[in-house]
Amino acid sequence: MHTSLLPWLALSAALLPTATAFYPYHYEDDSTTSNSRRTPSSPAVANTDSRSITLPIHRITTSSSLRTRQNAYKIVNSNDPKQANSVAIDQDGGDLSYMVAVTIGDSKEEYHLLLDSAASNTWVMGQDCRSNACKLHNSFGTSDSSSLKTQTTPFSVTYGTGSVSGTLATDTLHIGPLSPSLTFGLANDVSSEFSSYPMDGILGIGRGTADNIAAPKLLDVLSTSKLISAKIYGVHLSRATDGLSDGELNLGTVNKDRFTGDLNYVDCVPNDTGFWEVPVSAASVDTNSIPLASARNAIIDTGTSFILMPPSDALALHKNIAGYVQDGETFSVPCDTAATVQFSFNNVPYNISTADWRGGKLSTGLCRSNIVGRQTFGEKQWLVGDVFLKNVYSVFDAEKWRVGFGVKSAGAATPSASSAVPPPPTSAGVPDAAETGLVGSPGAAAPSSAAAEATQQDQKDELQKGAGIKRNAMSRVVVLLASSMFILG
Ligand SMILES: *[C@@H]1O[C@H](CO)[C@@H](O)[C@H](O)[C@H]1NC(C)=O
Ligand SMILES: CC(=O)N[C@H]1CO[C@H](CO)[C@@H](O)[C@@H]1O
């Protein structure tokens, strides 16, 4: 994974301005390869009774040697939501990947699928997949579920650095208390980049209509099978440092306990992309509004970790942060900055707390900014991901094609600007395959033998340790760009 940035940029540029789905984004540091953080040969036994500890997911060995695998990716599970028709949103412990655990058919195995609001493709790694990424993850197939109906219809999703392809299949998807029958992709070929992320597949909850998986979309299926009464969902993302493990996806209705006051609904812009794309009425740092040449839109994407905007916009924003330093498309800022970044929708301002947009500490003594200067799509489009979404309760309304934002209720803690500088979320870096023999998740600290005993305090301790790893100033950026060239035409 020690690929230089330029090829990535070139690839992503070549794909512009096609639509995307999945845009996890993390910094990669040269100095962070740490063998000690990974002991893939001795995974701890998962305590499958608890939803709130760090679980190494353990693939149960079956007949085929191909399937002798052990999934040691770190997942921080959230508690089961109290509201009906809801499911926990888990994460990687570093606020980079938000996932929903599902089971499929009569399989007892859990699959963690990345929650992707920017596309409607759903796929899971298949049992016949021989790609390295599949060997490292939980895979699914006919030996897992007797109700699985496979097809020969191929699907393919092309990413900036590779692709996922396979064939379609139909089975019952168990998502929280709901069990729709869904046609999804069974991936037989998965590019190596997926070795770096904990998810076993992707759960597409975008608005896309044209799509490379030619089957009814999850929201439509839930609606037509009368499992939900409205095509709407609400998202509350957990913040790892809050330690609340309270991420939740509310299907068919919103969770009124998650926000105060009314939802601020913003109509999606006319589009042909299938994005949840809404106009940004203003952006500011503290009280300084950021001068923008023209109106900007935000693509609201749960599958994107950070906030990506065209370079000139990112520069204009950071110019309002005292002491910022630009390094190509990335920026760093003094770690003690108290600047509050605000995005307004329908002229209602939403704070992005400092602890969210300000990332981990670099060896320069500065901290990264999680707002990156990269044009992902059009020059007016910002890709607004989890760094923002952690600060609001968000509602995706496919009945009226609008996105609602709610101010989070007390109880959903908001870190103050003065809270401790968070450790770099990718403290493990991406392990060097040559050294570890395994390419793993950026957040995939190998679970200790006492993982079954792990508590949130343990996780915090581990994160603190990660913070102590010497950082290399010249961090690089690794991007997995999902193109919907085939998805959205
Ligand atoms: C947003 O940030 C500003 C500046 O720090 C602060 O004055 C204001 O109270 C914050 N608003 C909310 C709702 O937290
Ligand atoms: C607001 C909105 O949803 N506009 C359009 C988005 O794109 C689809 C497909 O082209 C249109 O049908 C919507 O009207």
Side-chain angles (χ1 to χ4, degrees), residues 32-51:
T32 52
T33 300
S34 172
N35 294 337
S36 66
R37 291 183 66 85
R38 298 199 61 79
T39 50
S41 56
S42 58
V45 175
N47 175 355
T48 50
D49 292 328
S50 171
R51 295 276 308 158

Side-chain angles (χ1 to χ4, degrees), residues 78-145:
S78 286
N79 305 312
D80 284 326
K82 295 192 185 74
Q83 170 150 318
N85 293 354
S86 298
V87 60
I89 300 178
D90 303 331
Q91 64 144 297
D92 56 15
D95 295 1
L96 290 174
S97 301
Y98 288 90
M99 294 158 284
V100 167
V102 302
T103 57
I104 313 174
D106 51 28
S107 169
K108 295 287 172 273
E109 193 83 30
E110 272 197 343
Y111 301 92
H112 272 89
L113 305 185
L114 183 98
L115 191 64
D116 185 5
S117 68
S120 33
N121 302 296
T122 295
W123 59 266
V124 63
M125 295 184 190
Q127 71 174 40
D128 297 330
C129 171
R130 289 169 190 276
S131 308
N132 198 43
C134 292
K135 292 176 186 166
L136 299 173
H137 286 91
N138 292 3
S139 62
F140 177 71
T142 47
S143 62
D144 295 290
S145 170

Side-chain angles (χ1 to χ4, degrees), residues 173-197:
L173 182 79
H174 305 286
I175 174 167
L178 304 179
S179 296
S181 173
L182 189 75
T183 296
F184 53 89
L186 212 46
N188 287 327
D189 200 357
V190 174
S191 64
S192 61
E193 290 73 25
F194 283 92
S195 299
S196 302
Y197 301 98

Side-chain angles (χ1 to χ4, degrees), residues 429-482:
V430 176
D432 186 319
E435 285 187 58
T436 63
L438 175 70
V439 176
S441 159
S448 72
S449 59
E453 305 287 327
T455 63
Q456 289 177 358
Q457 187 56 46
D458 290 330
Q459 290 163 24
K460 281 181 186 162
D461 291 345
E462 186 174 13
L463 288 167
Q464 291 305 325
K465 270 183 262 164
I469 295 172
K470 187 173 183 298
R471 313 302 294 176
N472 185 315
M474 292 304 292
S475 63
R476 288 177 302 194
V477 169
V478 178
V479 174
L480 189 53
L481 171 68

Side-chain angles (χ1 to χ4, degrees), residues 286 338 340 342 349 351 407:
D286 296 328
T340 302
Q342 278 185 338
N351 286 354
V407 176

Side-chain angles (χ1 to χ4, degrees), residues 207 268-272 401:
R207 343 172 13 199
C268 290
V269 300
N271 68 91
D272 53 12
W401 292 127

